[in-house]
Amino acid sequence: MQHFNIKNLKLVLFFMCVTCGAMGQKINKSLFDKTLSNYYPNGNEPGIVVAISQHGEIRYQYAVGMADLKTNQKITEKTHFRMASVSKQVTAQAICSLFDQGKLHPTDQLGLFFNNLPMALRGITVAQLLQHRSGIMDYEALIPEDRTAQVSDQDVLEYIRQTDTLYFPIGSQFRYSNTGYCLLALIVEQVAKESFTTFVKKNLFQPNGIVEGTIYTADADIPNRALGYHPKEDAFVFADQSVTSATQGDGGAYLSAIEYHQWANFLLHKRFQQAGIRDLLEKERFQVKDGVSYNLGWFIYPFDQNTVFFHSGESTGFHNIVYLDKRKELVVTLFSNRDDLRIAEAFDALLEEMKLRKPMDESGQNESVFGWLNAIYAN
């Protein structure tokens, strides 16, 4: 008869924990397919692509609907969607690349990069822009009502040069800011001496096998592109662009589901392992509410010695949501080219079927994850 001492028992328990952590997330394809078809039953409408990967391998895909109602091009895992605010993590990693190169520092202030700024804005730091605690005005509130031309990141800079108003003293609070991430893209251009699009492609996308993904420009040729639509009565109307759809730093990335999972696994297995970025995510994140904090383009929820990263994107014609579980190396994404709220229920249903809790304290559990995020964006 073999007797286990305390040391052996601890060793057994350790390997049991390792095995449990490494086990694959349970995927019930037929159940997931049925659930998603309940929310997106019509393949002749704008639709959705859903993908789940773990340990760097795609384990589930679902695509339904039309990427382009005019040409009847179908949505697939290779269709490129506008990421909207999911793009902010790309902008943040561009900034982190400059940190790594020693060309930029979190404490660098706006006045170092842009002249003719109001005095009240000059002391805002790069770190505060990344964390949404600059207090800077929303550029959307500064756009003239009669403007019809699309706003660029440079236009955003010109708008904030015209006001010295802040929502609160610099660094004292959280307020979600598209303005801040447009300025971060301009800082990348200032420091790198090349366009934001070129920098992202060269330093982030192409080294990770993302060849067709891009940052939006008016003349960009985006292959397999999904166009955006808005539901109106019993139909969908074309709604691909708005006045604010051309800014880059806050929402300009276009990626397919496959490319996004390449991107997310680059983050999980490389970037999030780097000491400097790990410190920013663990020690320098700023509290939002319901146990959730923010940094580097991510809402961050730590629980049970694990960390979940999540974000959504909302833009005219597009609704998206992404979810990363660090310990499980699990990535869940839903990209849609329709700006209704079916995605909110579909995402929560998938979480429930995967036995994953919503990434927030009990105080936020009664809301959909997408709805919770929407309320944060609305300030």
Side-chain angles (χ1 to χ4, degrees), residues 289-290 348 358 360 363-369 371-373 375:
K289 61 179 288 189
D290 297 327
D348 284 3
K358 295 177 184 177
M360 57 199 66
S363 53
Q365 290 292 315
N366 289 331
E367 297 182 71
S368 70
V369 178
W372 186 94
L373 290 165

Side-chain angles (χ1 to χ4, degrees), residues 244-261:
T244 59
S245 291
T247 50
Q248 297 182 332
D250 62 337
Y254 272 78
L255 292 168
S256 68
I258 293 297
E259 289 172 333
Y260 183 84
H261 281 255

Side-chain angles (χ1 to χ4, degrees), residues 151-285:
V151 174
S152 68
D153 299 72
Q154 187 64 38
D155 290 329
V156 171
L157 175 60
E158 295 306 319
Y159 284 140
I160 66 161
R161 278 179 168 144
Q162 299 169 23
T163 177
D164 60 358
T165 301
L166 293 172
Y167 290 115
F168 47 77
I170 295 171
S172 64
Q173 299 179 38
F174 175 94
R175 181 185 171 95
Y176 191 84
S177 173
N178 287 321
T179 304
Y181 273 73
C182 290
L183 295 178
L184 287 169
L186 293 176
I187 289 172
V188 171
E189 293 187 336
Q190 286 271 354
V191 175
K193 308 299 182 187
E194 60 187 351
S195 74
F196 183 64
T197 298
T198 298
F199 184 88
V200 167
K201 284 186 171 184
K202 186 170 67 177
N203 292 275
L204 296 172
F205 285 177
Q206 291 172 358
N208 291 290
I210 300 171
V211 177
E212 295 183 339
T214 191
I215 303 297
Y216 179 81
T217 58
D219 59 350
D221 180 17
I222 303 173
N224 299 314
R225 176 178 173 179
L227 300 178
Y229 296 90
H230 178 73
K232 186 175 182 181
E233 298 176 352
D234 294 329
F236 283 87
V237 296
F238 184 70
D240 188 70
Q241 296 286 306
S242 71
V243 170
T244 59
S245 291
T247 50
Q248 297 182 332
D250 62 337
Y254 272 78
L255 292 168
S256 68
I258 293 297
E259 289 172 333
Y260 183 84
H261 281 255
Q262 291 173 264
W263 166 257
N265 282 289
F266 158 66
L267 296 182
L268 284 172
H269 298 125
K270 293 184 180 179
R271 280 302 178 104
F272 289 1
Q273 306 302 321
Q274 295 176 9
I277 292 179
R278 190 167 63 243
D279 285 347
L280 289 171
L281 292 171
E282 295 177 0
K283 299 177 182 178
E284 301 297 328
R285 58 192 183 218

Side-chain angles (χ1 to χ4, degrees), residues 52-81:
I52 300 172
S53 66
Q54 190 170 30
H55 307 311
E57 299 292 333
I58 297 289
R59 299 193 55 215
Y60 176 79
Q61 295 179 82
Y62 181 91
V64 65
M66 295 292 177
D68 184 335
L69 293 181
K70 187 175 181 180
T71 64
N72 291 327
Q73 176 187 338
K74 292 184 177 180
I75 292 172
T76 74
E77 72 281 1
K78 295 182 179 181
T79 300
H80 288 91
F81 287 78

